[in-house]
Amino acid sequence: MRFSLPIRVYWEDTDAGGVVYHAQYVAFLERARTEWLRAQGFDQGALKETEHLIFVVHSMSLDFKAPAKLDDLLEATAKLVSCKKVSFEFEQTVERDGQTLVNARVKAAVLDSRTMKPRGMPAGIYEQLHGAMS
Amino acid sequence: MRFSLPIRVYWEDTDAGGVVYHAQYVAFLERARTEWLRAQGFDQGALKETEHLIFVVHSMSLDFKAPAKLDDLLEATAKLVSCKKVSFEFEQTVERDGQTLVNARVKAAVLDSRTMKPRGMPAGIYEQLHGAMS
Amino acid sequence: MRFSLPIRVYWEDTDAGGVVYHAQYVAFLERARTEWLRAQGFDQGALKETEHLIFVVHSMSLDFKAPAKLDDLLEATAKLVSCKKVSFEFEQTVERDGQTLVNARVKAAVLDSRTMKPRGMPAGIYEQLHGAMS
Amino acid sequence: MRFSLPIRVYWEDTDAGGVVYHAQYVAFLERARTEWLRAQGFDQGALKETEHLIFVVHSMSLDFKAPAKLDDLLEATAKLVSCKKVSFEFEQTVERDGQTLVNARVKAAVLDSRTMKPRGMPAGIYEQLHGAMS
């Protein structure tokens, strides 16, 4: 149940150290979560429109193990490891040829898009998301 | 009547070529236009809220003369050179110690934020903006 | 002979206007040129290592016709329209479902990576690149 | 001994949610560490040139408490809380008008720029950095 998104490293992702800029891995991880949600059938735009439901990053921890370079073909992975009505957590990696470059744990919170306050997911959405864990 | 904004180059602005990533100059130029508008008394947030008026980039041309590097302290300049009710144009530069690194010409269009269609500025706003040219 | 690269719009590409940030199209266009070069058999990393040859953006012009939004699946295209020993030019677009969102013309210069001064391409590389036009 | 860097939020920093894109706070924090190092008399460029010494982010944890918006004037802070010869740690925040928006803890590692392997800082540099803690 681990999801993996191929990501090519372009000039825009790198910095003058010759490697991928560290904050850009955070964006790579977000792309993987977005595609994971899409693969599970969630359309974040529609959730916001029809349910006033948005998912935001609540907290994250990152370990940078090895650098990625220009032109590298990476894999950003996402695995849902916890799911409550008001928040859910992913274990994620960025890898290259099976080598882990970044380890991350990301907690997302569920907010009402009108108030930006925490709220619980409707039961149907919760069950769909919770089911994606196993 | 030339406006100048100091900009420090950070790691995030650079690429693996060891210099500022070319698209980032486009963002530097936008910062200068935003600060120029602020200095003229325009609050883009308020214009959108109260007048449903937004300014978007319609077209631009850029000449890259010399590269900027990490830690450089740059100046991004903006000078309004044309102002009509539905659009206005800037001549801009990015400079370092008086040397021009980038020359740009940027045309902004005036849109209604509700329809995203072109519209004319209200007379008072037009006069204020037009007056900022001379 | 028009090359097209699919590009998904992620949160990182958008701005508070609800659309793709205008400077990010410049990065999208660069991705397309990089992939076009790769498809023609050019490895920019190897060219730098073995030939001390780098390609940098010399100048560009952009017309923004319509905005892209979060989750859009775009096509960034690149077509080589001019090729000399010291520079070459692309016509490029960003499109969505056949609609042109951005038109661009981009001129790249050939530099020696050690001096960052203009230089001519070696004959073999020039012929390979020139041949990719027709 | 807490260092604070003012940071204005521009369009480039925001996303379609109307707030600052979460990965951009990571860049804001890096700007504050870079300016802190500069204020302590460290020139990262010179350290790389003369000592083959570079500082890279080893790991970080982030708590996102409240969002920043376009035009906000933020403060990114940095406080050195631990310093060894091969690594050092910062406690950092991003704040607005005294309200903490992001809490972060960032560990930097010391590498040899030629090998990208861990190494200890020379004694003089270590003492200078260690002294900046108290």
Side-chain angles (χ1 to χ4, degrees), chain C residues 121-132:
Chain C
M121 287 181 254
I125 291 170
Y126 170 71
E127 278 153 33
Q128 189 183 354
L129 195 60
H130 194 273

Side-chain angles (χ1 to χ4, degrees), chain C residues 22-33:
Chain C
H22 70 293
Q24 189 58 20
Y25 294 108
V26 178
F28 290 170
L29 295 168
E30 191 269 314
R31 293 186 202 176
R33 292 193 306 278

Side-chain angles (χ1 to χ4, degrees), chain A residues 56-80:
Chain A
V56 302
V57 178
H58 171 277
S59 53
M60 64 193 314
S61 59
L62 299 143
D63 287 291
F64 301 94
K65 318 288 277 188
K69 294 196 299 287
L70 185 66
D71 287 333
D72 278 355
L73 186 56
L74 309 177
E75 297 281 332
T77 75
K79 186 185 168 197
L80 187 68

Side-chain angles (χ1 to χ4, degrees), chain A residues 15-81:
Chain A
D15 70 22
V19 295
V20 168
Y21 182 61
H22 71 292
Q24 189 56 19
Y25 294 107
V26 178
F28 290 170
L29 296 168
E30 192 268 315
R31 292 186 201 175
R33 293 193 306 278
T34 290
E35 293 297 346
W36 180 87
L37 282 165
R38 201 190 317 275
Q40 303 303 323
F42 292 103
D43 176 335
Q44 291 185 73
L47 284 178
K48 187 178 173 188
E49 285 302 309
T50 61
E51 303 280 350
H52 306 293
L53 202 71
I54 58 169
F55 303 144
V56 302
V57 178
H58 171 277
S59 53
M60 64 193 314
S61 59
L62 299 143
D63 287 291
F64 301 94
K65 318 288 277 188
K69 294 196 299 287
L70 185 66
D71 287 333
D72 278 355
L73 186 56
L74 309 177
E75 297 281 332
T77 75
K79 186 185 168 197
L80 187 68
V81 293

Side-chain angles (χ1 to χ4, degrees), chain A residues 5 8-13 24 27-28 30-32 34-35 38 43-45 48 55 70-71, chain C residues 5 8-13 24 27-28 30-32 34-35 38 43-45 48 55 70-71:
Chain A
L5 175 73
R8 177 71 73 176
V9 176
Y10 293 107
W11 287 101
E12 69 194 274
D13 303 314
Q24 189 56 19
F28 290 170
E30 192 268 315
R31 292 186 201 175
T34 290
E35 293 297 346
R38 201 190 317 275
D43 176 335
Q44 291 185 73
K48 187 178 173 188
F55 303 144
L70 185 66
D71 287 333
Chain C
L5 176 72
R8 177 72 74 176
V9 176
Y10 294 107
W11 286 100
E12 68 194 274
D13 303 314
Q24 189 58 20
F28 290 170
E30 191 269 314
R31 293 186 202 176
T34 289
E35 293 297 346
R38 203 193 312 279
D43 176 335
Q44 291 185 75
K48 188 179 171 188
F55 304 144
L70 184 67
D71 287 333

Side-chain angles (χ1 to χ4, degrees), chain B residues 5 8 10-12 24 27 30-31 34-35 38 44 71, chain D residues 5 8 10-12 24 27 30-31 34-35 38 44 71:
Chain B
L5 176 72
R8 176 73 73 176
Y10 293 107
W11 287 100
E12 68 194 275
Q24 189 57 20
E30 190 269 315
R31 292 186 201 174
T34 290
E35 293 297 346
R38 202 192 314 279
Q44 290 185 74
D71 287 333
Chain D
L5 176 73
R8 177 72 72 176
Y10 293 108
W11 287 99
E12 68 195 275
Q24 189 58 20
E30 192 269 315
R31 293 186 201 175
T34 289
E35 293 297 347
R38 202 191 315 278
Q44 291 185 74
D71 287 332

